[in-house]
Amino acid sequence: TSPFAWLRTRFYYLLIRLYFDQEFSIEEFTRGAKQAFSVVSKLLSQRKLDLLEELVSAEVLQVLKEKISLLPDSHRDALAADIDSIMYTTEGDVRIYYDDDGRKFVSILMCFWYLNGANLPDDVPSEAKVFQIVFGDENTKEKKHLLTANYEFQREFTEGAKPDWTITRIEHPRLLE
């Protein structure tokens, strides 16, 4: 990321700690986001969408129900990310905003890069072709794809609101379109 974006996100983390949650830690948030990403991606892959109701917003869940039913098995398998297969995680955008009723929200976009051994066709996803990794020798070749996903987490900080983060956007480029 650019130095400006890095400074901007650090400034927002300071604002979150000063005005919303004095115990907020981006390191702790990132650990929780990785766990949530792993759980949600596996449930998506297994088509267990009813188990996502507490983790994902209703709007996103409705869109996912439509998209998942149309996915070929290879794409669906490629959605799953074991926590140990997450190679890199970074925060994208951080937003603090108020709605028309005065409710306070914080959104953090997390970007994940993960290895997956799904049997994807060679032509899709196009960026995965560049990032195919082969493990083992000639007799025990195992091909994995380096895939990306973006999940946006939102929490309401209004007095009396539940202190839970909810996933408000899920993107698996070239897989879940």
Side-chain angles (χ1 to χ4, degrees), residues 24-174:
F24 179 80
S25 157
I26 189 57
E27 293 80 15
E28 185 178 321
F29 176 84
T30 300
R31 276 193 296 281
K34 285 171 89 170
Q35 289 176 334
F37 165 63
S38 179
V39 168
V40 169
S41 68
K42 287 178 189 174
L43 291 173
L44 285 173
S45 177
Q46 298 165 0
R47 294 185 180 161
K48 294 183 178 178
L49 302 180
D50 53 326
L51 298 177
L52 295 175
E53 289 180 7
E54 296 294 317
L55 303 171
V56 177
S57 71
E59 298 83 12
V60 171
L61 194 54
Q62 184 59 40
V63 171
L64 288 172
K65 286 178 181 178
E66 296 168 14
K67 289 183 177 183
I68 292 292
S69 66
L70 302 173
L71 281 183
D73 288 345
S74 61
H75 285 84
R76 197 171 36 82
D77 293 343
L79 296 174
D82 288 325
I83 197 153
D84 295 334
S85 71
I86 300 171
M87 300 285 95
Y88 184 70
T89 304
T90 187
E91 57 274 0
D93 191 26
V94 179
R95 294 182 299 136
I96 297 173
Y97 58 96
Y98 296 82
D99 70 4
D100 293 337
D101 298 325
R103 298 183 310 166
K104 302 180 275 190
F105 295 91
V106 171
S107 290
I108 302 175
L109 178 66
M110 296 297 294
C111 307
F112 303 96
W113 286 262
Y114 64 102
L115 288 175
N116 183 287
N119 188 18
L120 292 171
D122 284 338
D123 60 337
V124 176
S126 61
E127 68 270 11
K129 244 193 307 190
V130 176
F131 297 110
Q132 289 180 353
I133 301 166
V134 179
F135 295 95
D137 58 22
E138 287 299 317
N139 299 326
T140 61
K141 271 192 199 177
E142 181 184 2
K143 184 168 59 171
K144 294 204 176 208
H145 302 277
L146 183 62
L147 302 169
T148 62
N150 302 311
Y151 281 46
E152 183 177 61
F153 296 84
Q154 180 186 78
R155 179 175 167 195
E156 182 177 352
F157 281 94
T158 309
E159 184 80 28
K162 290 191 328 184
D164 298 333
W165 289 91
T166 303
I167 299 170
T168 56
R169 180 170 51 165
I170 294 178
E171 297 172 343
H172 285 262
R174 301 273 198 241

